[in-house]
Amino acid sequence: MSDLKIAVILGSTRPGRNGKAVADWVMTQAERRTDATYELIDLLDYPLPHLDEAVPPSAGQYAGAHTKAWAETIAAYDGFVFVTPEYNHSTSGVLKNAIDYLYAEWNNKAAGFVSYGSLGGARAIEHLRAISAELQLADVRQQLSFSLFTDFENFSEFRPGPQYADQATVLFDQLESWASALKQLRVGQPVAA
């Protein structure tokens, strides 16, 4: 087993959220992986208020205990799979807020995206890609986008088709490859060609 650690971040905290089933499915797919350890981070377990740090995160001068705990959690990972709903053509406010709290803890790590919504959550991913660039978070090409119309029964019971397992494999392959290369960069080792 590799020492790569990947967090699957569940980016919805709404009552009755569809995201929990999607994140659980991602974790089930990840259980077959041998080149990284995947762990679920549910933002319900990290009740961050609206960004309440006086100093910008890029300065790394976190004051709040909740910020310090969040920073310690995120710093431990080499990569991330963001599971996001699409709200109003973007990602969820709670996920954006959690991302905005930190800076260096995201830098030179890899990210993949899994979304769901009426258009598969594609617009949420577009916004997350732009946010990732600012945080020096390298996002992989492969993404998974689940439609509320075709991948959920009655818009609430997650029923993804079998084709998504192969797509998840590609996402994990890309994510682990990039996370491994970037980890070497972060610890000052030469990246293998």
Side-chain angles (χ1 to χ4, degrees), residues 59-178:
Q61 300 173 11
Y62 305 137
H66 54 277
T67 308
K68 291 175 184 176
W70 180 235
E72 184 177 331
T73 297
I74 295 305
Y77 293 96
D78 302 301
F80 308 95
V81 176
F82 292 97
V83 177
T84 182
E86 182 174 309
Y87 298 155
N88 300 318
H89 292 215
S90 190
T91 191
S92 67
V94 70
L95 179 56
K96 178 68 165 76
N97 187 57
I99 291 169
D100 286 346
Y101 258 93
L102 307 177
Y103 181 72
E105 293 77 8
W106 302 116
N107 292 176
N108 295 318
K109 296 181 180 179
F113 304 108
V114 176
S115 62
Y116 57 96
S118 59
L119 294 175
R123 296 170 295 200
I125 290 177
E126 288 175 9
H127 286 193
L128 285 170
R129 288 188 190 282
I131 293 163
S132 295
E134 179 62 23
L135 295 172
Q136 300 179 60
L137 187 58
D139 56 293
V140 300
R141 181 181 186 276
Q142 182 68 27
Q143 67 187 44
L144 298 176
S145 297
F146 297 104
S147 169
L148 289 173
F149 295 101
T150 59
D151 299 309
F152 291 83
E153 189 174 306
N154 298 319
F155 300 98
S156 61
E157 286 187 50
F158 188 48
R159 300 278 188 255
Q163 73 277 14
Y164 290 110
D166 290 340
Q167 293 176 23
T169 297
V170 174
L171 186 146
F172 294 142
D173 287 347
Q174 291 177 0
L175 184 63
E176 291 168 16
S177 177
W178 283 38

Side-chain angles (χ1 to χ4, degrees), residues 37-81:
T37 301
Y38 288 77
E39 298 174 357
L40 180 64
I41 294 178
D42 188 337
L43 291 182
L44 271 177
D45 299 329
Y46 294 88
L48 298 166
H50 282 287
L51 185 57
D52 63 352
E53 292 283 336
V55 177
S58 59
Q61 300 173 11
Y62 305 137
H66 54 277
T67 308
K68 291 175 184 176
W70 180 235
E72 184 177 331
T73 297
I74 295 305
Y77 293 96
D78 302 301
F80 308 95
V81 176

